[in-house]
Amino acid sequence: MNNIESLLADIKTKVALEKVELIYEGYYYRQEQIRGAVYSCEYQGKPAILKIVDDERIMLELDAHKDFLAKNTSKKLRAPQIYQSEQISPSCTWILMEKIPEGQVFDFQYIEKNRAEFLEMYLEYRNNFPAQPSRQLTLAEYLPSNDFHTMRLARWADLGNTREYQDFLKDGKRIVDPAKLADLFSSSLKIINQVFRDRPMIWSKGNFWPNHLIKTAPDQYYLLDFGLTKMYPQGYELGAMLWACHLMSFHFNDPLETWLAGVESWKKDLTELAQKLNYPETEQLLRGCLLERAWGSIYADTLATDKPAQFKTKMMEYLIRLVEQLLK
């Protein structure tokens, strides 16, 4: 029995749940590192959703979810109501919430044809999300924007470095030229530092991603998953949207030039979105955002994972080409 299963057993002793069925398990880069699970169930005769999180990171989702419910004034965008919950530790929590009506998930296929609607709802979210933090900040959230990015990238680089070398010692093969990668990373860090040096940190949901937005009726949407809410550098979410909708959405099956054209298409639309948000120097901002996301993808989402070597090799080819273009 893993810890999530132990937590579920304990919750069942406190709350009368029926017909509990696993919907989804989340992992921390590798499948043996289960970080959370979502279950369908019945509570007091009503269909409900139980979410359990036991992460290595600080995850104060419950606080952020409650704060959004209390302060959101949007007539279009809402979040599931909470029935019962408990914050067990800074990294462990569970939330029993309403099961929202069936609807259209903003999956990758839907967004391909309805990107404007997705970006419009991002503006709706930004205009209605609490502007001030709902809790005391962590030490990292007090950092300037450029230092915040540097700290995170260093952590991901360490993850990727460790796994890549373990794989090399195991089979004697490398899927990347180490010297070239180090040179590109060093050059990218300089650009990221320049772009974000004077930008403010902003209280944000952090993960405005396709599978976290559900359309249940015309002009009626639900926002899910507040687990990554924290202070982020201005513009971070723009890069995160491109990462979720294109970099990590298995478009690596496309020819390289087609994939790069898709990046440029998203970059153009997100630059316009940044202008609507009155962010300064939007072209440079998107350049910095893309570099940050590209290196997160290289180190954490590729090198640090247990994906097959053939797939890693193709991901690295595409991502390194993107970095080279952004550095021109």
Side-chain angles (χ1 to χ4, degrees):
M1 178 181 290
N2 61 45
N3 200 41
I4 295 295
E5 292 171 337
S6 297
L7 289 165
L8 175 61
D10 182 62
I11 293 166
K12 287 180 176 179
T13 67
K14 303 174 182 177
V15 185
L17 300 178
E18 297 180 357
K19 300 180 180 179
V20 179
E21 295 183 6
L22 178 67
I23 300 175
Y24 168 81
E25 281 186 336
Y27 308 100
Y28 190 66
Y29 299 121
R30 302 181 191 179
Q31 289 192 347
E32 67 267 21
Q33 295 176 292
I34 301 174
R35 57 168 293 273
V38 178
Y39 301 87
S40 65
C41 59
E42 284 190 3
Y43 171 69
Q44 296 183 349
K46 299 177 292 187
I49 295 293
L50 173 65
K51 181 175 184 179
I52 305 174
V53 176
D54 184 31
D55 207 293
E56 295 184 6
R57 302 161 292 180
I58 294 173
M59 300 292 283
L60 300 173
E61 175 171 2
L62 177 58
D63 182 82
H65 191 152
K66 286 181 175 180
D67 193 48
F68 181 74
L69 287 174
K71 297 176 181 176
N72 175 39
T73 59
S74 173
K75 297 186 182 302
K76 295 181 179 180
L77 189 64
R78 63 189 71 185
Q81 293 297 315
I82 296 174
Y83 297 142
Q84 291 201 43
S85 59
E86 182 182 3
Q87 187 77 48
I88 299 170
S89 75
S91 60
C92 182
T93 189
W94 60 267
I95 305 173
L96 180 64
M97 65 191 92
E98 70 167 310
K99 183 176 182 180
I100 65 173
E102 295 293 329
Q104 172 64 57
V105 180
F106 276 69
D107 56 25
F108 304 122
Q109 290 75 24
Y110 186 80
I111 286 180
E112 288 292 331
K113 299 178 181 179
N114 298 275
R115 188 187 302 177
E117 181 184 9
F118 181 67
L119 297 180
E120 178 187 347
M121 291 314 300
Y122 176 77
L123 286 176
E124 182 73 12
Y125 141 72
R126 274 279 30 135
N127 290 332
N128 288 278
F129 198 72
Q132 299 301 317
S134 59
R135 55 168 174 78
Q136 290 291 316
L137 302 182
T138 65
L139 295 178
E141 291 171 295
Y142 281 97
L143 288 172
S145 289
N146 56 323
D147 292 340
F148 180 88
H149 275 321
T150 299
M151 179 198 69
R152 282 160 55 93
L153 286 166
R155 184 171 72 246
W156 295 330
D158 183 59
L159 287 171
N161 173 74
T162 300
R163 179 59 186 265
E164 189 274 340
Y165 204 69
Q166 288 172 342
D167 291 344
F168 168 63
L169 292 176
K170 182 178 179 180
D171 57 29
K173 299 178 182 179
R174 308 196 89 150
I175 64 172
V176 65
D177 179 342
K180 178 181 179 180
L181 194 71
D183 183 60
L184 290 172
F185 187 46
S186 180
S187 298
S188 298
L189 286 176
K190 293 175 184 176
I191 299 296
I192 292 168
N193 186 63
Q194 292 170 0
V195 169
F196 289 98
R197 180 180 292 121
D198 297 318
R199 291 187 183 270
M201 297 283 281
I202 298 174
W203 185 245
S204 308
K205 182 176 182 287
N207 57 353
F208 192 89
W209 299 340
N211 56 333
H212 296 165
L213 185 65
I214 313 292
K215 183 177 183 179
T216 58
D219 282 336
Q220 293 296 312
Y221 304 81
Y222 276 84
L223 195 59
L224 310 180
D225 195 331
F226 295 82
L228 297 184
T229 302
K230 61 167 67 81
M231 298 293 286
Y232 289 96
Q234 181 188 72
Y236 168 83
E237 289 180 315
L238 305 180
M241 280 192 284
L242 197 155
W243 171 83
C245 295
H246 192 76
L247 297 191
M248 288 293 105
S249 63
F250 302 104
H251 286 281
F252 298 102
N253 294 324
D254 292 340
L256 176 57
E257 295 306 320
T258 301
W259 182 81
L260 289 170
V263 173
E264 283 301 313
S265 175
W266 270 100
K267 183 181 175 185
K268 177 180 178 293
D269 287 348
L270 291 169
T271 299
E272 294 175 0
L273 188 64
Q275 292 167 352
K276 292 178 181 179
L277 291 164
N278 296 316
Y279 292 166
E281 300 180 0
T282 53
E283 291 284 346
Q284 278 296 96
L285 174 61
L286 263 295
R287 184 190 187 199
C289 288
L290 268 176
L291 280 170
E292 185 271 338
R293 285 291 82 205
W295 283 105
S297 300
I298 287 169
Y299 282 124
D301 300 315
T302 306
L303 293 178
T305 69
D306 53 10
K307 293 183 174 73
Q310 184 177 3
F311 188 64
K312 282 187 176 183
T313 300
K314 190 169 186 179
M315 289 178 72
M316 292 298 292
E317 176 192 356
Y318 282 40
L319 290 165
I320 288 174
R321 180 71 176 276
L322 173 60
V323 168
E324 289 173 334
Q325 286 200 359
L326 291 168
L327 291 176
K328 288 181 180 178

